[in-house]
Amino acid sequence: MSKLSRLQSQATPWLLLLPAAVLLATFTHIPAVTTFINSFYTTPRGARPARFVGVEQYQSMLADPVFLAALKNNAIYALGTVPLAIGLSLLMAIIVNSSIRGRALLRMSFFLPTVLPMIAVANIWLFFYTPGYGLFDQILANFGFSSTNWLGSPNTALPSLMLLGIWKEAGFFMIFYLAALQQISPSLAEAAALEGASRWYYFRRIVFPLLMPTTLFVLVNALINSFRLIDHVIVMTRGGPDNASTLLLYYIYNTAFRFWDTAYASALTMVLLAALAAFSFIQFGILDRKVHYK
Amino acid sequence: MSTIALPHQERGASFWRLVELVGCYVLGLLWIMPLLYAVWMAIHPPEYEVRFDLFAPLTLDNFIAAWSAAPFARYFFNTFVLISVILVAQFVICTLAAYAFARYEFKGKTVIFMLILLQLMVMPEVLLVENYRTMVRLGLVDTVLAMGLPYMASAFGIFLLRQAFLTVPKELDDAARVEGAGSVGVLLRVYVPLARPVYVAYGLVSVSYHWNNLLWPLVITNSVSTRPLTVGLQVFASPDQGVQWSIISAAALMTSAPLLIAFLLFQRQFVQSFMRAGIK
């Protein structure tokens, strides 16, 4: 190989990577770093440039009731929706993977909410939650319940969003479980049956452990989504009433684009990034070692 | 291989079997109900919103009213342009990067790959404050390009295609090179054709993601000429507008219709594509 062609072949991978690297750096890595830097400054306003204030933004965050509410709501939202959505999605996958009649229809009904835009289904669900008139109140009226202002009262606003979230996401995770179930050899079920193992035992000792990598993958994705998806908050409650349903990203969006306090929004974004980093740490760090499969 | 039907189940358990079966169908019905209800509202006059009558008159008025109440034709066009631009750019950019990772050795390969995978966790909408600022600096606010640019280099796409390229036998690569094909020639003639199913899978996932995406387009657009369907629907259906529910339902179904119809027609491929995209 001549010197020139060797140089060429060394340059090739870098040239191939160039477009992706430039774009990723511009919209992921550099903004992540500048977010970190800006969180130590004030928001520049008019003629007043940004001023270094150290950890002041973070200090005011700790004293900010809306931030604390958003953080708490997001934790409740994640803890409430993620396990339920995962459990349901596993159940759905098992149903759809069985020999039940009308499998294709069931699969469609489980998966359909996933394909549709959150904004579209949130608008439809907005009607379901209408006090007195909507679907939920109509059904509950049959059982003697009076009308409830589902999205308008602090106790029910967040759970209402969570219900929609579970309905929307479960079918998506079902697909991953379905793929994993189809990889399990049928001879395992036969062997378990020959040994007289109960179905529950077979599920608990064989299927569930084999699905562990999928569960881990789904868990991390579900957690990330619970901090990333706020379309339904925008449509249904706008964080209200009285911040009872504010989620972290929604608060960031509001701070940045309604109050134009970009420095404070940067500090808030750092909290979101820390949460996301923690979730992927689950994947790469702790759980990966405990998941055993062949 | 189903856990529902292990062969050794006794006949005595047939009652519980029935309960189980009914449970499965109830769950299915429960899941589809919101959509069936939306369809009901959309194809009947508003007075049937909460009245169920099998012989209620059918109508398309709600769709017509929604269509004429907002520039949906323009929104459809904008969404179509957006997803096409993103898809083409993603295919090109991710293919090149995936090829570099699958077939070349270079310094810092692992570190760069990890840095790219970071985007799986930190999606562009998470950094919307800084990304908005970048777009202001580039003078791109309220353009289709601004909506698409942050998504064009997708870690997910690079990862998926790299996995596909890694399974291509080295012999095929060598054979093409012996015949005088250059790096790009080998990529186009050997790798890309063999990874076709992966492109289909990734394409479907990408199209449905960007058809449904709201937050970033909402932030970066502010005019009818750039807004995609999701943002248009959000503007149209804001609660203070006082639009009738049946019309909102019609609009919501209308904006999802192309995806919905495509899904119903290609259900098998859709599900399989999502499955393929999910398997690591």
Side-chain angles (χ1 to χ4, degrees):
Chain A
M1 234 193 247
S2 74
K3 213 171 175 184
L4 183 70
S5 75
R6 192 179 312 146
L7 195 70
Q8 232 170 10
S9 76
Q10 268 172 2
T12 310
W14 294 104
L15 286 174
L16 291 168
L17 274 176
L18 194 65
V22 169
L23 283 169
L24 280 165
T26 312
F27 298 107
T28 302
H29 302 103
I30 295 172
V33 173
T34 48
T35 300
F36 180 65
I37 295 171
N38 287 340
S39 70
F40 297 108
Y41 286 83
T42 57
T43 304
R45 291 196 195 275
R48 240 180 322 142
R51 184 168 51 82
F52 182 80
V53 287
V55 293
E56 208 172 88
Q57 301 282 7
Y58 293 91
Q59 278 166 346
S60 51
M61 209 154 70
L62 289 175
D64 176 3
V66 185
F67 163 71
L68 296 175
L71 203 60
K72 191 179 124 214
N73 289 340
N74 227 145
I76 295 173
Y77 186 90
L79 289 175
T81 56
V82 171
L84 264 172
I86 292 182
L88 275 166
S89 64
L90 179 54
L91 182 66
M92 287 169 176
I94 290 173
I95 291 174
V96 168
N97 195 43
S98 75
S99 50
I100 192 170
R101 222 179 261 248
R103 255 181 318 175
L105 272 177
L106 282 170
R107 189 180 60 193
M108 185 192 78
S109 112
F110 293 148
F111 190 61
L112 217 44
T114 293
V115 189
L116 303 180
M118 181 56 127
I119 161 99
V121 296
N123 271 301
I124 293 166
W125 278 61
L126 204 55
F127 170 72
F128 296 165
Y129 285 131
T130 311
Y133 192 60
L135 187 65
F136 287 106
D137 270 359
Q138 282 181 60
I139 293 170
L140 288 174
N142 295 328
F143 300 99
F145 287 91
S146 58
S147 88
T148 311
N149 193 353
W150 296 102
L151 298 170
S153 73
N155 291 329
T156 49
L158 188 61
S160 300
L161 293 180
M162 289 161 67
L163 190 65
L164 170 60
I166 293 170
W167 176 76
K168 181 87 169 67
E169 292 257 281
F172 182 56
F173 301 137
M174 170 192 79
I175 297 298
F176 301 112
Y177 275 123
L178 194 55
L181 280 173
Q182 290 180 353
Q183 311 247 308
I184 296 177
S185 158
S187 59
L188 283 174
E190 284 159 24
L194 279 178
E195 298 282 331
S198 75
R199 287 192 303 157
W200 173 239
Y201 185 85
Y202 169 67
F203 174 77
R204 202 163 45 89
R205 301 303 295 266
I206 296 170
V207 176
F208 192 69
L210 283 172
L211 291 178
M212 231 18 217
T214 312
T215 304
L216 179 65
F217 172 78
V218 167
L219 174 73
V220 172
N221 275 287
L223 282 172
I224 290 177
N225 280 349
S226 70
F227 278 78
R228 186 177 68 82
L229 275 176
I230 55 157
D231 299 6
H232 47 335
V233 183
I234 295 175
V235 176
M236 298 172 91
T237 65
R238 297 181 181 183
D242 196 19
N243 297 309
S245 62
T246 301
L247 299 182
L248 194 49
L249 185 54
Y250 182 75
Y251 187 44
I252 294 172
Y253 164 72
N254 250 352
T255 308
F257 297 102
R258 194 152 296 170
F259 311 129
W260 296 100
D261 189 352
T262 50
Y264 191 49
S266 296
L268 292 169
T269 305
M270 287 315 294
V271 177
L272 182 57
L273 289 178
L276 294 173
F279 300 145
S280 49
F281 184 70
I282 301 175
Q283 182 156 26
F284 297 116
I286 311 158
L287 270 169
D288 240 8
R289 267 178 278 142
K290 290 196 177 151
V291 177
H292 290 295
Y293 55 95
K294 278 190 221 168
Chain B
M1 65 181 172
S2 88
T3 52
I4 293 272
L6 273 188
H8 72 96
Q9 288 299 304
E10 304 291 328
R11 249 181 244 112
S14 68
F15 170 73
W16 291 112
R17 165 122 272 146
L18 191 71
V19 171
E20 212 174 83
L21 214 58
V22 171
C24 293
Y25 291 123
V26 167
L27 188 66
L29 203 65
L30 216 60
W31 235 251
I32 197 76
M33 243 222 327
L35 291 175
L36 292 181
Y37 196 92
V39 172
W40 169 274
M41 285 202 291
I43 61 171
H44 292 109
E47 55 269 30
Y48 289 94
E49 267 170 11
V50 292
R51 252 177 59 204
F52 295 100
D53 181 349
L54 216 53
F55 301 104
L58 297 174
T59 175
L60 285 176
D61 287 352
N62 298 320
F63 288 97
I64 295 165
W67 185 264
S68 53
F72 277 110
R74 180 71 209 207
Y75 296 154
F76 264 105
F77 175 77
N78 294 340
T79 289
F80 186 74
V81 172
L82 174 68
I83 57 173
S84 314
V85 167
I86 291 182
L87 192 66
V88 171
Q90 279 179 336
F91 275 1
V92 174
I93 292 168
C94 298
T95 299
L96 295 178
Y99 185 47
F101 283 118
R103 276 299 174 259
Y104 288 89
E105 288 307 324
F106 51 93
K107 236 186 178 167
K109 187 174 166 181
T110 323
V111 176
I112 294 172
F113 192 57
M114 293 307 258
L115 278 173
I116 286 180
L117 289 190
L118 212 66
Q119 198 216 26
L120 289 177
M121 178 178 87
V122 185
M123 307 282 224
E125 59 261 28
V126 170
L127 296 165
L128 59 117
V129 182
E130 285 304 316
N131 281 340
Y132 182 83
R133 218 195 286 250
T134 307
M135 290 304 172
V136 173
R137 255 183 249 128
L138 294 173
L140 287 174
V141 173
D142 201 27
T143 60
V144 172
L145 197 59
M147 274 191 283
L149 214 47
Y151 295 95
M152 285 176 182
S154 130
F156 179 62
I158 294 171
F159 183 81
L160 219 56
L161 288 170
R162 169 187 169 264
Q163 297 298 93
F165 290 166
L166 280 176
T167 62
V168 173
K170 192 85 173 65
E171 292 77 36
L172 285 178
D173 185 315
D174 294 338
R177 276 178 209 270
V178 168
E179 281 172 27
S183 312
V184 178
V186 177
L187 175 62
L188 289 179
R189 261 179 274 161
V190 178
Y191 288 88
V192 173
L194 285 171
R196 242 190 72 152
V198 178
Y199 281 100
V200 174
Y202 177 49
L204 282 174
V205 172
S206 166
V207 165
S208 63
Y209 185 93
H210 291 287
W211 191 287
N212 297 343
N213 202 12
L214 173 73
L215 187 57
W216 175 244
L218 182 67
V219 166
I220 204 71
T221 63
N222 49 38
S223 68
V224 169
S225 58
T226 45
R227 256 178 221 150
L229 274 169
T230 45
V231 181
L233 183 64
Q234 153 69 9
V235 172
F236 168 73
S238 295
D240 23 277
Q241 302 268 350
V243 189
Q244 242 158 4
W245 287 115
S246 40
I247 297 178
I248 291 185
S249 282
L253 289 176
M254 198 166 71
T255 53
S256 340
L259 273 188
L260 205 63
I261 292 166
F263 172 70
L264 293 177
L265 286 179
F266 305 107
Q267 213 204 121
R268 244 201 135 65
Q269 289 90 325
F270 240 97
V271 172
Q272 258 155 13
S273 294
F274 274 83
M275 261 159 59
R276 198 192 303 275
I279 301 172
K280 292 214 189 180

